[in-house]
């Protein structure tokens, strides 16, 4: 158990930097998916594309991969045959392999995906009346140990590459049949209209790959999702927040979950490193830096832990002055979870206080519960490396 904290907070959390070498797929061919335009240009030149043609080739190949969803160089009909053969000799267009796909009674789809090294991650597609949200992962497991989160019980195995992050969006579009059909009338309805980085892992501990992947997803000549349709959720990695505004510019969600440091230390242990006051200070600058509107404060409703009227009142006081929306998440239970979901009338009473203080306070409807696809329930079934219960309790100061 942790001793009383008398010294300035030291980092109890370490960020295991597990950067794997960019692995070449079988046959030594490099994967073009996930490369930024500059990286793609360099790769094409290294493979023998004349420099003066490189920009045009990048544009053409980019469109084939990200607009048309083509995986085979032979189908890139506006490129000369010999050039297509050259590409096929050096490169592949590879996305994660779908191991299983589960479809919930409510239409939510959960994909278990296999990536290099035999690791597995999950992505979830949530269809709604006016939009379809794809929830993607940024790491296999997570270094952080939020005590209410199932992913937090799985040790971090590694960061996902940009290819594996973009690949999740491509896999979902494959499954939904969303790539445009040449010659067919243009269909403006997007099935994957929004992307949220709310799956497995802490996206801001894999900043560069997440940034590069989102740049690909946002690029107007490909998948073309606007930065306002992408939401990055973080447990509060303060030094990376301003960078997120400047280098990605997407919407931000913060896993807030508590209104005192004492409780947040237990729920989101990274709070011992960057406490509530430090986090809020940083957040005040986000809307201006990213030129976006509101920050979403995510708040998981845990029975008798963080759900009192006093909590609701403290919450609105704390965030005063920050353009915000408060997303109340009824706790999604998982086998062996040490918490319970707050009662429904408690959640509504909490929402009411927040709403009367002038904040939108939607209660997130749990989706895909029958297939364990809801927020915080993602954990690859086959990853054996588990944190022990004692480890979790110690890190959470329980
Ligand atoms: N690591 C990032 C993003 C992934 S978690 C983060 O923590 O923000 C996405 C959201 O689900 C976070 O707000 C997280 O706190 C919340 N969450 C985790 N476990 C949950 C559970 N069992 N029930 C409800 N929400 C949960
Ligand atoms: Fe990691 Fe987010 Fe889960 Fe915390 S809530 S353990 S940061 S995935």
């Amino acid at each position: 158990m942790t001793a009383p904290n008398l010294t300035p907070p030291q980092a109890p959390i370490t960020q295991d930097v597990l950067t794997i070498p960019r692995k070449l797929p079988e046959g030594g061919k490099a994967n073009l998916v996930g490369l930024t335009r500059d990286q793609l240009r360099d790769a094409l030149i290294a493979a023998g594309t004349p420099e003066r043609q490189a920009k045009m080739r990048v544009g053409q190949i980019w469109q084939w991969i990200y607009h048309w969803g083509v995986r085979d160089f032979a189908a890139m009909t506006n490129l000369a045959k010999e050039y297509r053969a050259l590409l096929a000799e050096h490169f592949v267009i590879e996305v994660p392999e779908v191991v299983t796909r589960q479809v919930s009674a409510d239409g939510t789809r959960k994909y278990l995906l296999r990536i290099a090294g035999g690791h597995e991650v999950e992505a979830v597609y949530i269809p709604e009346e006016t939009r379809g949200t794809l929830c993607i992962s940024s790491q296999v497991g997570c270094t952080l140990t939020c005590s209410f989160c199932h992913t937090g019980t799985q040790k971090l195995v590694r960061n996902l590459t940009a290819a594996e992050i973009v690949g999740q969006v491509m896999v979902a579009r494959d499954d939904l049949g969303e790539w445009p059909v040449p010659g067919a009338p243009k269909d403006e309805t997007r099935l994957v209209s929004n992307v949220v980085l709310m799956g497995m892992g802490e996206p801001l501990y894999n900043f560069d790959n997440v940034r590069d992947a989102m740049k690909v997803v946002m690029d107007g000549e490909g998948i073309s999702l606007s930065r306002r349709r992408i939401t990055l959720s973080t447990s509060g990695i303060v030094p990376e927040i301003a960078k997120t505004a400047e280098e990605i510019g997407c919407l931000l969600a913060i896993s807030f979950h508590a209104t005192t440091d004492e409780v947040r230390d237990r729920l989101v242990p990274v709070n011992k490193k960057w406490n509530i006051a430090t986090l809020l200070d940083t957040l005040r600058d986000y809307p201006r830096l990213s030129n976006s509107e509101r920050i979403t404060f995510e708040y998981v409703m845990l029975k008798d832990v963080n759900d009192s009227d006093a909590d609701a009142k403290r919450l609105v006081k704390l965030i005063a002055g920050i353009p915000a929306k408060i997303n109340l998440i009824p706790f999604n239970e998982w086998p062996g979870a040490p918490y319970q979901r707050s009662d429904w009338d408690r959640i509504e009473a909490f929402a009411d206080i927040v709403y009367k203080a002038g904040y939108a306070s939607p209660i997130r409807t749990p989706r895909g519960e029958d297939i364990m696809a809801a927020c915080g329930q993602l954990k690859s079934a086959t990853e054996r490396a588990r944190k022990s219960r004692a480890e979790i309790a110690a890190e959470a100061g329980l």
Side-chain angles (χ1 to χ4, degrees), residues 138-139 141-154 198-203 205 233-237 255 257 267-270 376 378 387:
S138 55
Q139 300 182 311
C142 189
T143 44
L144 302 180
T145 48
C146 303
S147 49
F148 55 90
C149 172
H150 203 204
T151 310
T153 65
Q154 179 184 328
M198 291 187 189
M200 297 162 70
E202 169 48 63
Y205 272 159
S233 173
T234 177
S235 56
I237 311 303
S255 293
H257 305 320
L267 299 182
V268 187
V270 80
L378 302 187
K387 284 170 191 155

Side-chain angles (χ1 to χ4, degrees), residues 6 21 37 73 77 98-99 176 196 199 206 223 238 272 316 323 326 332 336 355 360 369:
L6 301 174
R37 280 177 179 265
F73 295 108
T77 46
V98 180
V99 182
L176 296 164
V196 295
N206 185 14
I223 299 170
V238 161
K272 295 179 201 161
V316 291
I326 294 162
N332 294 309
Y355 180 73
E369 280 189 300

Side-chain angles (χ1 to χ4, degrees), residues 233-256:
S233 173
T234 177
S235 56
I237 311 303
V238 161
E240 309 296 318
I241 289 178
K243 268 171 73 188
T244 306
E246 284 155 4
E247 297 181 33
I248 310 177
C250 59
L251 303 182
L252 188 69
I254 295 289
S255 293
F256 206 61

